[in-house]
Amino acid sequence: MAADPFDKAGLHQAEDVLKAHGVDAYFRAAAERTGDSHIIIDGRRVLMAGSADYLGLSTHPRLVEAAVAATRRYGTTVSGSRALNGTLDLHVTLEERIAAFLGQEAAAVTTTGFQANLALSALLGRDDVAFGDARNHASLIEAVRLGWGKARSYRDPEQLRSRLAAAPDGGGRLVFTDGVFSMDGDVADLRELRAVADAYGAKLVVDAAHDMGVLGVGGAGLAAGLRVDLITSTFSKAFGSLGGVLAGPRDNVRYLRSNARSVLFSAALPPASAAAALAALEVIAAEPERRARALDLAESLHNGLRSLGYDTRPSTTPIIPVRFTTMAEAGTFWAGLFEAGVFTNLVGPPAATTPALRLSLTANHDESHVATVLSAFHDVGGGRGTDLPPVTMTR
Ligand SMILES: Cc1ncc(COP(=O)(O)O)c(C=O)c1O
């Protein structure tokens, strides 16, 4: 008998197992968001400690007003692709400004960051080899699967060096890395990757999803001031909006926007999202204190957790992982925190190598919220009694 192709497991099965143990962590619907520091779920007000809205911009009046004004002016959607009927002056302005912000010659705005990364598949010809950090985001991994050519993963710059040395001559070589790894919150050593890539004539592509707006000089990301060949990113995190970006040399950006299928065959970024991303660029420049607050609060939460004995290594960024041995243990802890009024993200394989709670605060939180999270951890799990060194934040 033929297998049933619909008979797949995955997250829904894990979700059912966890639910049977009283852990209802996925697809929870919020009825309201209050400045992104709290949400209402099932009539209960819980502290949101798992949002990637790092600068708290998604509810900033300037972004909200810009989105409303753009919707009134252009409508809710452009109903078409960028190449045909879907380009607005807003997209063009956003591309000029984001390219300048990232220190790149040109940029193409896409509908999501996932699509921006998928577009990279168009760079992979039959003779090319793509080298990707094993911890890269799923969208970078998919780009490599989708492209022609060979895929090699690496764990660190040294292993990349040996894999590059072993690569066949003749084809192109591309190194793909996240700037900040989205599950563990640790950062790629971009200087070292650049040096290794240069030694073997490889291009370096960096996904700045979690660092753009938050880290680096002026919030321009970890690649700011470094020579990288292409930057991809998203407006769905620190920019408080939605949308993706590919930024690099003008010819390459033009090639990608008119050849990559995830860009060419998808409706353009809605007017509200483009306008919100443009407003975010202005707020990031005008209110640098948001960046400082997000990083200070993250540092405080890291160190508070560490002083309770919860290990947040290897993160040095606002993505704060607390690891557990089993999914059941992590799920039970998640449920305890939720009961105590704190919402965190429960992650596990294959997204993360180890079961973990992933926490992040935004610039709309304050020290009282850090105290709430810490006291919930203490109430649910007690102290863990180990002495852990304080974090050295990447800024
Ligand atoms: C590292 C990284 N790259 C890309 C993406 C995709 O971004 P978007 O939400 O815009 O599709 C994410 C989002 O989770 C991410 O964490």
Side-chain angles (χ1 to χ4, degrees):
M1 206 173 56
D4 182 350
F6 284 9
D7 197 10
K8 303 278 192 296
L11 178 62
H12 85 269
Q13 199 186 52
E15 193 187 355
D16 289 346
V17 172
L18 286 165
K19 262 192 189 161
H21 289 86
V23 183
D24 193 5
Y26 301 119
F27 301 99
R28 296 301 299 266
E32 203 183 318
R33 290 171 67 210
T34 57
D36 209 42
S37 56
H38 286 83
I39 50 173
I40 311 288
I41 296 184
D42 291 342
R44 287 185 51 222
R45 188 169 179 269
V46 289
L47 180 69
M48 171 47 83
S51 168
D53 186 13
Y54 301 118
L55 302 178
L57 296 189
S58 71
T59 50
H60 192 290
R62 278 176 74 174
L63 273 78
V64 173
E65 285 316 312
V68 170
T71 304
R72 288 197 201 290
R73 178 163 176 184
Y74 302 94
T76 52
T77 177
V78 292
S79 312
S81 70
R82 289 288 309 278
L84 299 180
N85 63 306
T87 292
L88 299 174
D89 52 0
L90 277 179
H91 295 125
V92 178
T93 308
L94 179 56
E95 289 175 339
E96 283 165 10
R97 297 207 183 144
I98 196 73
F101 180 70
L102 293 172
Q104 297 290 328
E105 204 176 39
V109 163
T110 63
T111 314
T112 64
F114 201 106
Q115 285 165 277
N117 278 344
L118 278 189
L120 299 171
S121 61
L123 295 174
L124 296 170
R126 284 181 194 279
D127 296 330
D128 299 334
V129 188
F131 300 83
D133 191 295
R135 297 159 300 164
N136 277 348
H137 188 260
S139 50
L140 277 182
I141 294 170
E142 286 301 310
V144 172
R145 279 161 48 123
L146 207 55
W148 297 105
K150 294 193 177 52
R152 298 276 179 273
S153 82
Y154 64 87
R155 248 191 335 265
D156 53 38
E158 262 332 288
Q159 196 178 41
L160 171 64
R161 185 185 292 281
S162 60
R163 300 244 146 125
L164 275 163
D169 281 336
R173 296 150 178 208
L174 293 105
V175 177
F176 294 148
T177 185
D178 287 359
V180 175
F181 295 102
S182 56
M183 287 297 137
D184 287 343
D186 50 336
V187 300
D189 185 346
L190 295 184
R191 273 177 209 287
E192 189 57 22
L193 290 174
R194 176 77 270 172
V196 175
D198 280 350
Y200 294 92
K203 299 277 193 213
L204 178 61
V205 181
V206 179
D207 176 351
H210 293 275
D211 47 285
M212 184 177 83
V214 188
L215 303 178
V217 182
L222 290 173
L226 295 179
R227 189 169 42 81
V228 301
D229 299 298
L230 199 61
I231 295 176
T232 64
S233 194
T234 176
F235 298 126
S236 71
K237 303 189 191 295
F239 274 57
S241 182
L242 180 80
V245 61
L246 289 149
R250 193 171 303 282
D251 282 351
N252 195 27
V253 167
R254 286 191 59 192
Y255 165 74
L256 288 171
R257 77 170 190 180
S258 22
N259 290 277
R261 289 170 180 237
S262 64
V263 181
L264 196 56
F265 296 102
S266 190
L269 187 66
S273 305
L278 267 170
L281 268 174
E282 287 168 15
V283 175
I284 286 166
E287 300 178 18
E289 63 278 11
R290 285 184 172 270
R291 211 162 60 242
R293 190 156 62 246
L295 294 171
D296 289 349
L297 288 174
E299 182 166 6
S300 183
L301 184 55
H302 267 290
N303 289 337
L305 286 166
R306 287 176 185 211
S307 65
L308 286 174
Y310 293 93
D311 197 348
T312 66
R313 291 174 294 184
S315 174
T316 58
T317 68
I319 295 174
I320 305 183
V322 175
R323 292 164 163 183
F324 293 83
T325 320
T326 63
M327 207 55 194
E329 201 193 334
T332 308
F333 210 101
W334 181 92
L337 290 176
F338 185 70
E339 257 325 286
V342 176
F343 191 97
T344 58
N345 296 326
L346 173 60
V347 296
T353 46
T354 319
L357 297 183
R358 197 167 156 275
L359 286 82
S360 44
L361 297 177
T362 77
N364 288 344
H365 289 100
D366 58 36
E367 284 291 344
S368 76
H369 299 124
V370 174
T372 303
V373 176
L374 293 176
S375 104
F377 263 82
H378 189 266
D379 290 349
V380 174
R384 287 194 166 175
T386 357
D387 224 11
L388 295 162
V391 66
T392 306
M393 291 289 288
T394 301
R395 287 189 179 251

